[in-house]
Amino acid sequence: MDGSVQQGGDVWTVAGRSFSSRLVVGTGKYKDLETTAAAIEASGAEMVTVAVRRVNLSDRNAPMLQDYVSPKRYTYLPNTAGCFTADEAVRTLRLAREAGGWNLVKLEVLGPPPLLYPDMAATLLAAEALVKDGFEVMVYCADDPVAAKKLEDMGCVAIMPLGAPIGSGLGVQNPLMIQSIIETVKVPVLVDAGVGTAWDAAFAMELGCDAVLVNSAIALAEDPVLMAQAMKHGVEAGRLAFRAGRIPRKGFATASSPMSGLIR
């Protein structure tokens, strides 16, 4: 799915907005807002996710995310982290739109611990309500091409299958299904959840994803700023490898030099 590459540079587009960076970064779980800002700066990201229920966006008596990560510089993507029902998710994003005017949003409706796997029945209900309400919905979902197609047909602007359970750091566990989603839908596909290190991000991009979303792997690293730099380069390397076209996998050796015309 390389249709997002436009003349003038290798950018990707979602809901009419174009981005040069293919790394989307979360704003939660950092030890403080100073580290949040430094890591996001190092990542080169242009879009950041914001957990509306967990991040201070309105109380001027406490440190506010906007004072460290400017919404004038970064595209804010409000999300429904911590929502376990369709009603909770819809209500949360309606409140976010009232508070900040945000229309491009990330929907996630989670199942119970310990896996926090996407609750797809509730996700479909919430997505339908939000699209009807005029939201541009980027949707976190299971690595299921059938569900992904339903969400696209419903009007979602991006599909965001998990690579592995949230915060697990296991990387992409089912690359076949991620590739199937990429081949099934025409909207952007972003691996969301499970990335642990730069290799995981590169691998997701090599599969053909438009972008990768990373939060825990950066925020909880021993050095978040350094990990943010690593993720930036991993995403860039993976994208270049995808565009270059890898050699086919074979179960036998192929000499790197010609076997004919040798000097004897």
Side-chain angles (χ1 to χ4, degrees):
M1 189 177 98
D2 203 28
S4 61
V5 176
Q6 297 183 341
Q7 189 176 11
D10 181 26
V11 302
W12 68 286
T13 300
V14 59
R17 301 164 177 84
S18 295
F19 301 92
S20 297
S21 172
R22 292 175 180 268
L23 176 60
V24 180
V25 178
T27 54
K29 302 184 179 180
Y30 292 89
K31 64 179 182 179
D32 52 47
L33 287 170
E34 290 83 1
T35 305
T36 305
I40 292 172
E41 171 78 26
S43 76
E46 298 165 301
M47 178 189 289
V48 297
T49 61
V50 180
V52 178
R53 304 183 74 187
R54 296 172 178 167
V55 174
N56 178 30
L57 295 170
S58 58
D59 183 3
R60 279 289 171 193
N61 295 316
M64 294 178 62
L65 179 66
Q66 298 98 310
D67 295 333
Y68 294 83
V69 181
S70 172
K72 294 180 180 179
R73 177 177 179 184
Y74 299 98
T75 296
Y76 271 32
L77 184 66
N79 69 29
T80 57
C83 291
F84 293 88
T85 69
D87 285 344
E88 276 185 325
V90 171
R91 185 167 60 253
T92 296
L93 291 177
R94 284 174 176 164
L95 289 171
R97 183 160 66 180
E98 288 178 13
W102 295 296
N103 207 52
L104 179 65
V105 297
K106 179 195 166 190
L107 169 66
E108 56 183 88
V109 186
L110 303 177
L115 291 180
L116 300 175
Y117 199 79
D119 182 332
M120 290 311 300
T123 298
L124 287 160
L125 282 174
E128 183 176 25
L130 290 166
V131 169
K132 286 181 178 178
D133 210 10
F135 285 93
E136 296 164 321
V137 182
M138 300 174 67
V139 57
Y140 173 65
C141 62
D143 51 350
D144 176 355
V146 176
K149 183 59 178 171
K150 287 181 180 178
L151 289 164
E152 180 190 38
D153 290 345
M154 191 179 288
C156 292
V157 299
I159 305 299
M160 306 176 73
L162 80 167
I166 294 171
S168 67
L170 292 172
V172 177
Q173 291 294 294
N174 201 339
L176 175 61
M177 289 299 98
I178 299 296
Q179 284 186 311
S180 296
I181 290 172
I182 292 168
E183 292 166 2
T184 300
V185 303
K186 294 182 174 63
V187 296
V189 175
L190 298 79
V191 158
D192 178 8
V195 170
T197 189
W199 183 88
D200 301 323
F203 181 58
M205 295 304 299
E206 288 177 11
L207 292 174
C209 290
D210 291 274
V212 175
L213 194 156
V214 182
N215 186 18
S216 298
I218 295 176
L220 301 180
E222 292 182 14
D223 187 332
V225 175
L226 197 59
M227 184 59 78
Q229 293 174 347
M231 290 295 182
K232 173 184 178 181
H233 293 304
V235 166
E236 290 172 351
R239 177 61 181 174
L240 287 173
F242 172 73
R243 293 180 66 196
R246 64 158 294 135
I247 62 171
R249 291 181 172 89
K250 295 176 288 190
F252 53 88
T254 303
S256 57
S257 299
M259 299 297 290
S260 59
L262 301 178
I263 299 173
R264 298 189 185 277

